[in-house]
Amino acid sequence: MRIKSSVVSQTGFFDLAKRPFGALSKMVKRVVLAGTIASVAFVLPGFAASTYANPKYSGIVVDAKTGKILYGEDADELRYPASLTKMMTLYLTFEALEAGRISKSTQIPFSKNASAEPPSKLGVRAGQSITVEQAILSLVTRSANDASTALGEYLGGSEQRFARMMTNKARALGMTRTTYRNANGLPNPEQRTTARDQARLGLALRQHFPQYYDYFSTRSFRFGKQTIGNHNRLLGNVRGVDGIKTGYTRASGFNLVTSAQIDGRSIVAVVMGGTSGASRDAQMRRLVAKYMPDASRRGNGNLIAETKPTPVPAEETQVAAAAPVAETPVVAAVATGHDLPNTGPVPDFRYNGESASSVQMAYAGNKRASDNPVLSSKIVPNTLDAQSLKLRQPATAAMVDTQITHSVPKKADAAAKAEPAEVAKAEPMPAQPQGWVIQIGATPDKDQAMTLLGNAKDKGGKALRNAQPFTVAFGQVYRARFGGFDDQNSAVNACKALKKKGISCWASQQ
């Protein structure tokens, strides 16, 4: 008997084994059946659809325009973020840039602590410094641990305080199950997150900082005599992928957060716990190919609203008194987030690093069919009821988005069973122009923002004749924007006209 296809379903295999084989004995039939089962087992993925095959795996795909969940597998289970941590380090860096507390040319000094971090790293010596822009590029491409620590120490006064800032920001973004303990993702048993939370962060980076998001698509950059390439091998190899971050430690497995935009559709996808870099990337390719067509061309993408978190009671934190802070331009006092429960035994936290050589070794060693992932058929429900808008922890963030808010995970822990606290109601926001807008700056004072808009309109002339000036409160700054553009081209052309007048500008879809 001849099998026409090399890929046969499990049911097909068993049907084949049940057919009459003429002179074949029953023993031969058993051998055929056993071989069939073995073949099925052999093609099961290293990135298996079932968590029984790979307990570290979790994933999610979110429509970036509507917030609809297109795919999910253990999306709310606690995982180790590894270098995905640097996404939050970059979020706080972009926030400081927009607020004017730092500039791209600000020098970031390296302490002994930062210089001593293990690879991947830039290798900057203690006492030396690099610019903020160099630090950003090193995090995006090489995933440099030393530069990440240096940024954290500079922005927070110490890495410990910066980690509290990171956790606090996570709560403000609705990342209810994420706790940070360092700026780089080096192993720490208390540094935990979920695939859903990482999707929220990926969406927030795109939505809140479109003027800086292009950094995540950097393929390589020059640092001294080095040309540093990006660890994200999907850039330039998968249509529509524009970033954003890879991660790996032995405890976490291979992680990846990906943003992709094709033909008016847009998604953010997360894969965590891969068995190798190759199987992780292959799984992400499949997710993008399968679920991008399901994404909507409609929706404005305003999914993640940042709110001011409620301070956590002091008795519920484990934060020691802050040490004296070095004199740096940026020091912020913050409330800490909740410490989330550690589930299961403490894993092996030895760090393999995320150097190009380690990724290449993972690719070279990936020869087994078991490393070839397939998609799960289990899909997270597309609609969430009002109960899903309640937080597991005491109210620390108001989630405006009703699609990707936290829901009870498949393997609920004790905290999930507790009665959740109600989310504080968000204050009504004034109507703002939708569609394409341009931003010309941000200031800590609303009147100053309106003055910027008035000056720009005077200089913009015809390009801004029908534009509508407005401000958007974001954190401690007010963004000065113009709306009312018919499409992307008109917004981009208006920006070009303003740049010729010496006014900085960028266009984005509101």
Side-chain angles (χ1 to χ4, degrees):
M1 180 172 292
R2 185 176 180 181
I3 300 175
K4 295 182 180 180
S5 173
S6 60
V7 180
V8 183
S9 69
Q10 184 173 346
T11 303
F13 271 125
F14 280 106
D15 288 343
L16 175 65
K18 292 176 182 178
R19 293 180 182 179
F21 277 71
L24 286 177
S25 67
K26 292 183 179 180
M27 182 176 294
V28 174
K29 290 183 182 179
R30 292 193 188 100
V31 170
V32 171
L33 183 57
T36 299
I37 296 172
S39 298
V40 173
F42 183 73
V43 298
L44 281 175
F47 226 116
S50 170
T51 55
Y52 292 105
N54 181 3
K56 289 184 180 180
Y57 175 73
S58 63
I60 194 170
V61 179
V62 181
D63 186 326
K65 288 193 172 182
T66 66
K68 181 180 179 181
I69 305 299
L70 304 177
Y71 160 85
E73 177 80 21
D74 287 342
D76 295 306
E77 295 298 304
L78 290 172
R79 298 289 185 263
Y80 300 102
S83 287
L84 299 187
T85 298
K86 297 180 176 75
M87 291 167 58
M88 181 59 82
T89 300
L90 288 167
Y91 186 99
L92 292 178
T93 301
F94 296 157
E95 192 173 65
L97 279 169
E98 185 176 57
R101 299 197 297 271
I102 58 175
S103 69
K104 293 181 182 179
S105 60
T106 297
Q107 293 291 314
I108 303 298
F110 277 59
S111 65
K112 289 183 179 179
N113 177 51
S115 296
E117 297 286 25
S120 299
K121 62 192 294 183
L122 284 179
V124 178
R125 296 178 180 178
Q128 296 180 336
S129 62
I130 62 175
T131 66
V132 166
E133 184 164 49
Q134 287 174 320
I136 291 171
L137 290 168
S138 73
L139 265 63
V140 168
T141 57
R142 178 168 285 180
S143 195
N145 294 317
D146 52 355
S148 190
T149 297
L151 269 175
E153 290 175 343
Y154 188 81
L155 294 173
S158 71
E159 190 175 19
Q160 292 74 27
R161 291 186 67 186
F162 186 69
R164 298 200 294 273
M165 291 170 61
M166 295 168 74
T167 302
N168 197 57
K169 182 61 64 177
R171 294 296 182 274
L173 295 174
M175 300 166 62
T176 62
R177 305 207 74 203
T178 297
T179 300
Y180 293 105
R181 289 292 181 260
N182 59 48
N184 47 43
L186 286 169
N188 186 308
E190 296 179 350
Q191 187 143 299
R192 308 295 291 274
T193 189
T194 67
R196 189 187 300 268
D197 278 2
Q198 291 304 302
R200 291 190 71 91
L201 181 53
L203 289 164
L205 282 163
R206 281 181 38 163
Q207 177 187 328
H208 297 165
F209 302 109
Q211 69 271 46
Y212 302 124
Y213 182 77
D214 284 349
Y215 278 121
F216 288 106
S217 62
T218 303
R219 301 289 297 279
S220 65
F221 90 105
R222 292 283 299 177
F223 183 72
K225 296 181 179 180
Q226 306 177 65
T227 298
I228 299 175
N230 199 317
H231 290 163
N232 190 346
R233 294 174 180 267
L234 271 59
L235 282 172
N237 293 316
V238 177
R239 180 171 175 253
V241 168
D242 55 20
I244 47 182
K245 191 73 189 74
T246 62
Y248 170 71
T249 65
R250 289 188 180 182
S252 71
F254 289 82
N255 300 338
L256 178 61
V257 178
T258 290
S259 162
Q261 304 183 61
I262 302 175
D263 300 332
R265 295 183 171 90
S266 182
I267 62 172
V268 168
V270 180
V271 165
M272 304 187 76
T275 57
S276 70
S279 63
R280 170 199 65 190
D281 291 352
Q283 172 72 342
M284 185 61 77
R285 288 172 184 267
R286 286 166 169 77
L287 292 178
V288 173
K290 182 173 178 63
Y291 294 106
M292 180 64 81
D294 295 339
S296 174
R297 287 193 174 98
R298 299 181 178 180
N300 59 25
N302 290 330
L303 304 175
I304 312 298
E306 183 177 351
T307 62
K308 186 176 181 180
T310 303
V312 179
E315 63 271 15
E316 297 185 25
T317 68
Q318 299 177 354
V319 180
V325 177
E327 293 184 2
T328 60
V330 186
V331 177
V334 297
T336 68
H338 279 279
D339 292 332
L340 298 175
N342 242 345
T343 57
V346 177
D348 178 3
F349 283 102
R350 287 173 293 174
Y351 182 63
N352 265 2
E354 201 186 346
S355 65
S357 60
S358 69
V359 175
Q360 290 166 358
M361 288 173 64
Y363 271 75
N366 182 36
K367 302 297 184 182
R368 298 173 299 153
S370 59
D371 287 329
N372 184 23
V374 298
L375 293 178
S376 168
S377 59
K378 183 176 71 175
I379 306 298
V380 173
N382 290 331
T383 57
L384 301 178
D385 57 24
Q387 184 71 15
S388 67
L389 294 177
K390 299 179 180 181
L391 297 180
R392 167 175 307 187
Q393 302 291 352
T396 57
M399 300 183 204
V400 174
D401 155 38
T402 62
Q403 293 288 343
I404 62 171
T405 46
H406 180 76
S407 61
V408 178
K410 183 179 68 176
K411 301 175 183 177
D413 55 22
K417 296 176 182 177
E419 183 66 23
E422 294 288 346
V423 177
K425 294 183 179 179
E427 295 182 3
M429 297 293 291
Q432 297 174 356
Q434 297 300 306
W436 282 91
V437 302
I438 63 174
Q439 180 167 315
I440 62 169
T443 73
D445 182 80
K446 185 175 182 179
D447 291 337
Q448 290 178 0
M450 292 304 298
T451 300
L452 285 177
L453 291 167
N455 293 337
K457 189 150 190 177
D458 291 341
K459 293 181 179 181
K462 183 179 179 180
L464 297 179
R465 181 176 299 167
N466 298 318
Q468 177 184 346
F470 68 101
T471 63
V472 177
F474 181 80
Q476 298 178 354
V477 300
Y478 289 87
R479 292 171 166 175
R481 292 180 171 179
F482 287 99
F485 299 99
D486 294 332
D487 50 34
Q488 182 178 5
N489 287 336
S490 59
V492 170
N493 289 336
C495 266
K496 289 179 179 178
L498 289 176
K499 288 177 180 178
K500 290 179 181 179
K501 300 289 186 178
I503 300 174
S504 62
C505 179
W506 53 264
S508 175
Q509 193 169 21
Q510 177 80 353

